Amino acid sequence: MRLLKEPSRRIRFLTRHQARTLLRELPPHLRDMATFTLATGLRAANVTGLSWEQLDLARKLAWIHPDQAKARKAIAVPLNDTALQVLREQRGKHPLQVFTYEGQPIKQVSTAAWYKALKRAGVEDFRWHDLRHTWASWHVQGGTPLFALQELAGWETEKMVRRYAHLAAEHLAIYARNTESHGTIAAQPPDFHGTARLQLVGK
C-alpha cells in the first residue's frame, strides 16, 4: 500500500509587534521565561530546568548539558543583552533554579495563564515551542547564516535549519535579475485595437 506523504507543517512565528503584545499580557513569571526564550531559542524544558550552575554571566554564556539536549550533545548558548537582563532580575529568588514562581521551580509553561494571555493578545494557533521558531525566524531575517543558526540551536542535521531558509532570500536577489539580462519586459497599455502590447525596454 502506497502511503501518502505527510504535509510539512507551516513554520509559525510572531512579528516583533505581536511578540511585544503577547509579553505585555503574560504574568511576570511567564513573561520572563518567554522573553528569555525569544532571546536564546532554548526549548521549554531547558528554560524551566535552567540552573545557576549552567551560567557564566561574566562571559555572557550559558550551556546545556548533553543529557539535557534533544540531540544529546552539549550546547553553548551565547547570552545577548535581553537574556542577561532577564537573568539578573532572577537573582536571589532561588539558590539553585533560575526561573521560579512563588519560590518554587517552574515545571510547566503551557498553563491556563499562557492560553488566556494568547487570547487577550489576539494570537491564534500558537504553542510555547513556537517561541523557538520565532527566535530562529528573527535570526534568519536578521541575516544570521544558516550554518551559524544550526549551531546556536543545537540542531544535529542541516535539515532542521533548512526549514527557515525561505525567510532569507536576499542573497538570491542578484540571480532574480538574470531574466532581465536582455532588457526589462514592461507591460504597455492596450493599443487602439484593444490589444495589449509588450515592449522590451533596453538597459
Side-chain angles (χ1 to χ4, degrees):
M1 179 181 295
R2 184 173 65 89
L3 298 178
L4 296 178
K5 184 178 180 181
E6 183 177 352
S8 298
R9 190 178 189 277
R10 177 176 58 90
I11 297 297
R12 181 73 171 95
F13 66 94
L14 299 178
T15 65
R16 293 181 186 275
H17 173 72
Q18 289 173 320
R20 285 191 293 267
T21 301
L22 175 58
L23 291 175
R24 283 195 298 267
E25 295 295 340
L26 288 170
H29 67 289
L30 289 180
R31 182 188 308 129
D32 289 341
M33 299 175 75
T35 301
F36 189 76
T37 301
L38 289 170
T40 62
L42 287 177
R43 294 181 173 87
N46 295 139
V47 176
T48 57
L50 190 66
S51 63
W52 289 110
E53 63 90 19
Q54 292 173 256
L55 300 169
D56 188 334
L57 299 187
R59 295 172 58 205
K60 300 182 179 181
L61 184 67
W63 52 88
I64 303 301
H65 300 299
D67 63 332
Q68 300 172 311
K70 188 174 181 180
R72 296 299 182 224
K73 292 183 179 180
I75 305 172
V77 184
L79 301 172
N80 60 23
D81 290 342
T82 299
L84 288 169
Q85 179 61 33
V86 171
L87 292 173
R88 292 189 184 105
E89 293 173 356
Q90 311 311 310
R91 287 188 294 195
K93 294 183 179 181
H94 194 276
L96 300 177
Q97 298 301 117
V98 174
F99 294 104
T100 60
Y101 176 66
E102 296 183 348
Q104 298 299 317
I106 297 172
K107 301 297 184 182
Q108 181 59 262
V109 290
S110 296
T111 61
W114 163 255
Y115 290 109
K116 289 178 181 178
L118 286 173
K119 186 174 182 179
R120 290 193 299 269
V123 176
E124 300 178 349
D125 185 28
F126 195 80
R127 309 163 301 164
W128 184 278
H129 189 72
D130 291 327
L131 294 172
R132 177 172 164 88
H133 290 315
T134 299
W135 164 84
S137 300
W138 288 358
H139 259 292
V140 173
Q141 292 169 336
T144 301
L146 295 182
F147 74 87
L149 179 59
Q150 180 179 346
E151 188 169 352
L152 285 169
W155 286 315
E156 189 171 15
T157 67
E158 184 183 356
K159 178 181 178 181
M160 301 297 291
V161 75
R162 294 298 301 178
R163 295 180 297 174
Y164 304 92
H166 67 287
L167 298 175
E170 290 83 357
H171 64 293
L172 301 176
I174 186 174
Y175 303 110
R177 295 194 293 268
N178 284 347
T179 60
E180 302 177 339
S181 58
H182 297 292
T184 301
I185 299 177
Q188 300 297 311
D191 58 21
F192 63 89
H193 293 297
T195 303
R197 295 178 291 116
L198 291 178
Q199 178 182 354
L200 277 176
V201 179
K203 292 173 128 183

